[in-house]
Amino acid sequence: MIVGAIVGAIIGAIAGAITNRGAAMGWIANIVAGLIGAWIGQGLLGTWGPSLAGMALIPSIIGAIILVLIVSLVVGRTSKK
């Protein structure tokens, strides 16, 4: 479970770095984005590619990127009102 949280944090940090929206996210948000992103990515794209702690890395990163973009759009819209 601890390894999964660490891998989730790394996946979330990579997604935040790729989208340039990860600096405002804390470690807890990175872990959540990584874990939920892994679930989304593997649900949409399958479990191909290298795997670590039961998470297929490439689909997980893609899913986390999708999640970070959607959340940043929603948060950006609500904070501007």
Side-chain angles (χ1 to χ4, degrees):
M1 187 163 148
I2 292 173
V3 175
I6 292 170
V7 173
I10 293 169
I11 290 170
I14 290 170
I18 289 173
T19 59
N20 291 327
R21 292 177 165 87
M25 295 175 29
W27 281 103
I28 301 294
N30 279 338
I31 292 171
V32 171
L35 293 174
I36 295 173
W39 180 74
I40 291 170
Q42 290 180 27
L44 293 174
L45 304 171
T47 57
W48 52 273
S51 178
L52 186 61
M55 295 180 224
L57 296 178
I58 295 171
S60 297
I61 291 171
I62 293 170
I65 290 170
I66 293 169
L67 178 68
V68 167
L69 289 173
I70 290 171
V71 168
S72 65
L73 287 173
V74 170
V75 169
R77 287 185 183 181
T78 58
S79 66
K80 290 180 182 179
K81 288 183 177 180

